[in-house]
């Protein structure tokens, strides 16, 4: 105890020294005479604690007082639990079934003895004792050749009573550790039920209960732990509860279990949102959002890709709606950035899976393309540069996947060009809402359109119409440049015209019929001369405007007649 008190005094003195140094800097900047140092002149400089030995002692006591009892209780409890899961046929029946209760009582009695002298150590013993009591109660029905409690209903009631007692102790001690352990034991208790709806309803009950406790007690760690427990419990149920010795097979019914997964997401997501609204978006809120956006969806994907494949499209669409609702609520209520990003992206991942399941190639790429435009619209609403950049990478991946997977290019690929132009336009229109310089992304979208349109028309149209169609695209670019007053579309038009000329020179002199060759050359030549004439007129107009502005300046001499 003396060493502990000494370490505490050392920490206090080091804190006072830091405060003194900060006050001295403030006094020097404000030209105030320094007097604070005189109060500490009588302190021995050698007793500051700023030595490697004292720092090592502080770390040593922290490990010895905090981590060793936690690890020790877990290791001891697991050892006894492994002992209780054995048949113990060599022991008399009465001793085999009461051994766990006796050991649990001894651990709880020790915690009561040390409750006043070592309260933290006693709390760890309470957790170990209650966990041992829970597994001892489980042994009344499981792990033995002759169960004391043959009825599973009575066994589940007894297990839930142990959970209730442990939860009462957790609330009384205001211990999140004991509360999380209670939730874990609760999930394990309901996993004992052979009735699917009782089991799944029990998981949902403990999800709701832990969400309420996490919000009221400000236990953010409890909520994240519950998300993990719920996902593990559901996947164990889907594998036919292999923990209890049954054959591990993937369950194929009932379908409603997928809706329970969506309910876990909704309950924990809303709770995390309310905690973020009250306490701010700190790291635990973001970490919990990551778990909500990943673990239940992974279980949902596992089930819908295996035994519930016929229901994949509908369930993934529902998952998209749940995550999209959480994303919109996170942005509107607390302007949350990272949870909004995670919910948006995993929601659209679920929607993409539904599209792939519902539509065949290449129609699914059309819907994925339209989905990309919806995502970028949401990103601009959410002011999320992360979503904008991520969506562009996904859009480019979809374009490449389309070019690789489809057997032949169809008119569907034109949608990629239109979406690219619209995405660039909406980013330019709402650039003030984005907290990034989006010129590079806009240019990337426009370059995609610049490639997609000629490439698609090259594969769709007969060769004699390709050059003329590219000239038509260039005309549309010039029209957009005029309407939107954007020079980028003029560069796109020029590039497309040059590509049309190159294609005409190659194809027109080698493969085109004489009639189409003559028409193509004449039309392209007239267009090029017309465009050149427009550039001459525009240049002359700009020079005349510049001369008028120059002559209108005060003191500028008039031109000689």
């Amino acid at each position: 105890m003396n060493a502990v008190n000494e370490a505490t005094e050392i920490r206090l003195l080091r804190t006072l020294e830091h405060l003194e140094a900060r006050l001295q800097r403030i006094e020097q900047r404000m030209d105030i005479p320094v007097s604070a140092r005189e109060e500490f002149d009588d302190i021995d400089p050698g007793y500051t604690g700023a030595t490697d030995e004292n720092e090592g002692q502080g770390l040593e006591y922290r490990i010895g007082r905090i981590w060793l009892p936690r690890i020790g209780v877990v290791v001891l409890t697991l050892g006894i639990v492994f002992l209780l899961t054995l048949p113990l046929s060599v022991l008399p029946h009465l001793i085999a079934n009461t051994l766990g209760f006796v050991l649990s009582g001894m651990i709880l009695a020790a915690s009561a003895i040390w409750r006043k002298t070592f309260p933290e150590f006693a709390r760890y013993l309470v957790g170990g004792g209650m966990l041992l009591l829970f597994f001892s109660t489980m042994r009344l029905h499981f792990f033995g050749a002759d169960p004391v409690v043959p009825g599973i209903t009575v066994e589940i009631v007894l297990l839930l009573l142990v959970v209730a007692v442990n939860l009462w102790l957790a609330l009384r001690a205001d211990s999140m550790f004991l509360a999380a352990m209670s939730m874990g034991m609760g999930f394990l208790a309901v996993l004992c039920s052979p009735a699917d709806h009782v089991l799944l309803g029990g998981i949902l009950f403990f999800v709701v209960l832990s969400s309420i406790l996490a919000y009221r007690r400000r236990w953010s760690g409890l909520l994240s732990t519950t998300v993990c427990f719920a996902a593990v419990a559901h996947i164990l149920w889907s594998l036919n509860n292999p923990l209890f010795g049954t054959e591990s097979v993937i369950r194929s019914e009932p379908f409603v279990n997928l809706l329970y997964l969506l309910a876990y997401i909704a309950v924990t997501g809303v709770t995390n949102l309310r905690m973020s609204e009250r306490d701010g978006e700190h790291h635990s809120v973001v970490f919990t959002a990551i778990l909500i956006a990943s673990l239940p969806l992974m279980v949902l994907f596992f089930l819908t890709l295996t035994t519930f494949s016929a229901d994949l499209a509908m369930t993934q669409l529902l998952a998209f709606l749940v995550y999209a609702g959480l994303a919109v609520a996170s942005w509107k209520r607390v302007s949350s950035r990272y949870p909004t990003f995670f919910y948006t992206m995993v929601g659209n991942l679920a929607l993409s899976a539904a599209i792939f399941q519902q539509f065949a190639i290449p129609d699914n790429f059309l819907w994925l393309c339209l989905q990309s435009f919806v995502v970028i619209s949401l990103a601009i609403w959410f002011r999320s540069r992360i979503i904008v950049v991520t969506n562009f990478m996904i859009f480019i991946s979809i374009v490449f996947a389309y070019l690789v997977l489809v057997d032949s290019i169809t008119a569907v690929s034109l949608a990629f060009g239109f979406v690219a132009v619209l995405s660039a336009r909406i980013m330019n229109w709402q650039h003030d809402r984005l907290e990034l310089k989006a010129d590079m992304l806009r240019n990337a979208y426009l370059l995609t359109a610049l490639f997609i349109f000629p490439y698609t028309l090259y594969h769709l149209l007969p060769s004699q119409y390709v050059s003329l169609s590219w000239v038509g695209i260039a005309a549309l670019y010039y029209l957009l440049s005029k309407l939107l007053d954007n020079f980028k579309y003029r560069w796109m038009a020029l590039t497309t015209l040059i590509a049309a000329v190159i294609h005409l020179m190659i194809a027109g002199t080698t493969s085109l019929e004489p009639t189409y060759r003559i028409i193509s050359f004449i039309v392209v030549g007239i267009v090029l001369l017309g465009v050149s004439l427009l550039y001459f007129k525009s240049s002359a107009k700009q020079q005349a405007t510049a001369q008028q502005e120059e002559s209108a300046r005060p003191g500028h001499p008039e031109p000689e007649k």
Side-chain angles (χ1 to χ4, degrees):
M1 293 298 292
N2 292 333
V4 174
N5 294 332
E6 181 179 353
T8 303
E9 292 176 0
I10 291 173
R11 288 195 297 270
L12 289 175
L13 287 175
R14 294 183 63 186
T15 303
L16 290 174
E17 285 187 345
H18 289 305
L19 291 175
E20 180 189 2
R22 295 182 63 183
L23 287 174
Q24 287 179 0
R25 289 194 296 268
I26 294 173
E27 290 173 344
Q28 291 174 359
R29 180 163 297 184
M30 298 180 65
D31 294 331
I32 299 176
V34 180
S35 60
R37 182 183 299 272
E38 299 174 357
E39 301 178 8
F40 296 94
D41 288 342
D42 56 341
I43 297 179
D44 184 8
Y47 190 64
T48 60
T51 62
D52 295 337
E53 181 180 359
N54 290 329
E55 290 180 358
Q57 287 181 356
L59 178 61
E60 175 189 354
Y61 283 108
R62 183 174 180 81
I63 295 174
R65 295 184 59 191
I66 297 178
W67 291 107
L68 286 186
R70 293 180 180 180
I71 299 173
V73 167
V74 171
V75 172
L76 177 61
T77 305
L78 287 177
I80 299 176
V81 167
F82 291 148
L83 174 64
L84 295 178
T85 55
L86 298 177
L88 299 180
S89 56
V90 295
L91 297 177
H93 183 69
L94 180 63
I95 296 178
N97 290 312
T98 58
L99 178 61
F101 293 99
V102 173
L103 296 176
S104 175
M106 293 173 60
I107 295 176
L108 292 175
S111 68
I113 295 174
W114 288 323
R115 184 178 58 184
K116 293 183 178 181
T117 54
F118 304 109
E120 295 181 2
F121 185 76
R123 190 181 299 119
Y124 300 140
L125 291 181
V126 169
M130 292 303 300
L131 187 61
L132 185 57
L133 178 62
F134 179 83
F135 279 98
S136 300
T137 307
M138 284 192 68
R139 200 182 187 283
L140 296 178
H141 181 82
F142 300 98
F143 315 125
D146 187 14
V148 178
V149 179
I152 188 61
T153 303
V154 178
E155 174 66 19
I156 294 175
V157 171
L158 293 176
L159 292 174
L160 292 177
L161 286 176
V162 177
V163 172
V165 172
N166 191 62
L167 184 59
W168 175 76
L169 292 174
L171 297 177
R172 182 182 178 185
D174 195 25
S175 172
M176 187 185 70
F177 168 74
L178 291 178
M181 192 178 69
S182 300
M183 295 301 107
M185 293 191 300
F187 285 116
L188 189 56
V190 297
L191 279 174
C192 299
S193 175
D196 293 332
H197 291 285
V198 174
L199 189 151
L200 296 172
I203 295 176
L204 181 59
F205 168 78
F206 280 104
V207 168
V208 174
L209 177 60
S210 62
S211 298
I212 294 174
L213 292 176
Y215 179 77
R216 291 187 176 181
R217 296 281 179 145
R218 299 178 184 267
W219 289 338
S220 57
L222 177 62
L223 187 62
S224 57
T225 304
T226 299
V227 176
C228 300
F229 283 156
V232 172
H234 201 100
I235 198 68
L236 287 174
W237 168 85
S238 67
L239 295 176
N240 201 31
N241 277 340
L243 288 180
F244 300 103
T246 57
E247 183 182 359
S248 180
V249 294
I250 303 177
R251 304 287 297 270
S252 59
E253 58 181 12
F255 162 77
V256 74
N257 85 91
L258 305 177
L259 302 182
Y260 276 102
L261 276 170
L262 299 179
Y264 308 156
I265 298 171
V267 172
T268 54
V270 170
T271 305
N272 196 45
L273 171 62
R274 294 189 63 189
M275 296 179 71
S276 175
E277 187 178 11
R278 181 188 62 191
D279 305 328
E281 187 181 346
H282 46 83
H283 65 279
S284 60
V285 170
V286 176
F287 177 69
T288 305
I290 295 174
L291 294 178
I292 296 171
S294 58
L295 294 183
L297 189 64
M298 290 171 62
V299 179
L300 190 64
F301 268 117
F302 170 74
L303 292 174
T304 53
L305 291 175
T306 52
T307 55
F308 294 92
S309 57
D311 305 309
L312 187 148
M314 183 178 67
T315 53
Q316 295 299 335
L317 178 61
L318 292 175
F320 162 74
L321 294 176
V322 173
Y323 280 118
L326 290 176
V328 172
S330 297
W331 177 252
K332 292 193 67 175
R333 295 179 70 95
V334 293
S335 297
S336 176
R337 294 186 178 274
Y338 294 106
T340 301
F341 165 73
F342 292 122
Y343 294 148
T344 301
M345 299 315 298
V346 299
N348 281 279
L349 176 63
L351 181 59
S352 300
I355 291 173
F356 263 105
Q357 173 70 15
Q358 188 66 25
F359 302 98
I361 296 176
D363 294 338
N364 51 12
F365 284 98
L366 173 62
W367 289 101
L368 290 175
C369 183
L370 297 177
Q371 179 192 356
S372 175
F373 181 72
V374 173
V375 173
I376 196 171
S377 301
L378 288 174
I380 293 174
W381 181 30
F382 296 154
R383 300 177 182 267
S384 176
R385 54 186 176 182
I386 308 177
I387 298 179
V388 171
V389 175
T390 306
N391 181 70
F392 172 74
M393 297 173 63
I394 295 175
F395 175 75
I396 293 298
S397 301
I398 294 173
V399 173
F400 278 109
Y402 171 81
L403 297 177
V404 171
L405 294 178
V406 296
D407 297 329
S408 60
I409 301 299
T410 63
V412 171
S413 56
L414 292 174
F416 292 109
F418 287 117
V419 168
V421 173
L422 290 175
S423 299
R425 185 59 202 157
I426 195 174
M427 289 176 65
N428 184 66
W429 177 38
Q430 296 288 333
H431 67 277
D432 292 337
R433 295 182 63 89
L434 295 175
E435 297 180 0
L436 78 162
K437 294 181 179 180
D439 289 339
M440 184 178 296
L441 285 178
R442 289 201 300 268
N443 293 338
Y445 274 113
L446 293 177
L447 286 175
T448 305
L450 183 65
F451 166 77
I452 284 293
F453 284 131
Y455 181 81
T456 303
L457 294 178
Y458 176 81
H459 286 83
L460 290 180
L461 299 177
S463 60
Q464 59 266 27
Y465 298 120
V466 172
S467 297
L468 296 177
S469 66
W470 289 5
V471 171
I473 297 174
L476 290 177
Y477 286 149
Y478 276 121
L479 180 61
L480 287 175
S481 175
K482 182 67 175 178
L483 295 176
L484 303 176
D485 192 21
N486 193 323
F487 72 95
K488 294 180 180 180
Y489 294 101
R490 293 199 300 271
W491 277 106
M492 295 174 68
L494 280 174
T495 305
T496 307
L497 279 178
I498 295 173
V501 172
I502 295 173
H503 178 270
L504 183 61
M505 291 298 179
I506 297 175
T509 57
T510 57
S511 60
L512 291 183
E513 297 179 0
T515 303
Y516 289 108
R517 181 187 305 131
I518 295 171
I519 294 174
S520 298
F521 271 88
I522 291 175
V523 171
V524 173
I526 292 174
V527 170
L528 291 175
L529 291 176
V531 171
S532 178
L533 181 61
L534 290 176
Y535 274 102
F536 272 108
K537 289 184 177 181
S538 177
S539 178
K541 185 178 179 180
Q542 291 178 0
Q543 290 178 1
T545 303
Q547 290 178 359
Q548 290 177 0
E549 293 178 352
E550 185 71 20
S551 61
R553 292 180 181 178
H556 189 275
E558 295 182 359
E560 296 182 359
K561 296 182 179 180

